[in-house]
Amino acid sequence: YRKKKTFKTMRLLLNDVALNTIWSGEQTDVRSIKDSFQFADRLYAITPFMRDYHRKRWGMAVADKVLCPLSELIEFKKQRRIRLSLSDILFLGKDWNRKGLVDFIKMANAFPSLQFHVVGSGDPSRFTQLIENGNILFYGVLSGDVLIDSIEKCDLHFLPSRAEGLPRGYIEALANGLP
């Protein structure tokens, strides 16, 4: 019996911010982090920075080659869009604490004439007390045409994350022409 060769892509930068939000309240050590990637024969990062960071910080055996998961973009279309005004700003992502939803809400409070849209998994009730204006809409998880429509209706994607490698939300927004 021969074991099948497997690989895993590392899509998250495992820095202190990510560790505090992903494993909040749990004891985290280098061994548990490294062990979570040991089931695969090869480990690929999705950016050169992530590859070098994980090698240096965690001593992980990350392959030299970088793999970008562009296969996720098949349903998205490339289009050039020119916006002459700014009215709708999109936050797209899950793990709202790590991705900086509080900072997004602060920006919405500072610009009450703009409309802010939050797409992704999370509990809006945890953040509603921070909202000073009625200019933030929460949509929950969207996919397919509904997600594409929400991206097309916005003028700017803003994700003030403090711990990212190459987030899917950025890829989806850029693939659909949203800066």
Side-chain angles (χ1 to χ4, degrees):
Y1 173 75
R2 289 180 69 185
K3 180 184 167 197
K4 278 187 167 183
K5 298 255 183 200
T6 59
F7 74 93
K8 177 158 180 57
T9 55
M10 179 175 284
R11 298 172 48 143
L12 176 66
L13 183 65
L14 296 174
N15 64 9
D16 293 331
V17 174
L19 296 177
N20 289 334
T21 58
I22 294 170
W23 287 288
S24 59
E26 296 180 25
Q27 191 68 11
T28 304
D29 61 15
V30 175
R31 183 176 300 142
S32 65
I33 292 167
K34 288 169 68 171
D35 288 349
S36 67
F37 291 96
Q38 292 301 318
F39 69 90
D41 297 308
R42 285 198 179 266
L43 177 61
Y44 293 95
I46 59 172
T47 68
F49 175 80
M50 289 178 70
R51 176 196 62 212
D52 298 340
Y53 179 88
H54 290 106
R55 283 177 175 172
K56 184 176 179 181
R57 169 110 190 241
W58 303 112
M60 298 173 94
V62 183
D64 288 333
K65 185 173 183 174
V66 172
L67 295 181
C68 184
L70 296 177
S71 61
E72 298 170 354
L73 301 179
I74 292 171
E75 66 184 285
F76 292 91
K77 57 187 174 210
K78 291 182 180 178
Q79 72 181 51
R80 183 174 176 200
R81 300 190 309 174
I82 298 173
R83 301 290 183 175
L84 301 176
S85 64
L86 180 66
S87 61
D88 292 276
I89 300 175
L90 177 67
F91 176 100
L92 180 60
K94 57 183 179 177
D95 190 359
W96 290 352
N97 288 328
R98 182 173 51 82
K99 296 206 183 269
L101 184 58
V102 170
D103 292 329
F104 187 79
I105 292 170
K106 287 178 184 176
M107 188 169 76
N109 291 338
F111 296 95
S113 63
L114 301 177
Q115 190 66 45
F116 293 79
H117 307 268
V118 178
V119 175
S121 59
D123 181 7
S125 67
R126 294 183 47 224
F127 298 92
T128 52
Q129 75 280 4
L130 302 173
I131 299 171
E132 297 173 4
N133 309 304
N135 62 338
I136 301 178
L137 300 171
F138 291 90
Y139 296 94
V141 177
L142 303 177
S143 61
D145 289 340
V146 178
L147 176 58
I148 292 171
D149 289 344
S150 71
I151 291 172
E152 287 179 346
K153 291 176 185 172
C154 289
D155 305 309
L156 177 68
H157 174 244
F158 181 69
L159 188 64
S161 178
R162 297 169 194 256
E164 290 297 332
L166 184 61
R168 184 187 312 211
Y170 279 144
I171 294 171
E172 291 169 344
L174 288 172
N176 204 31
L178 185 64

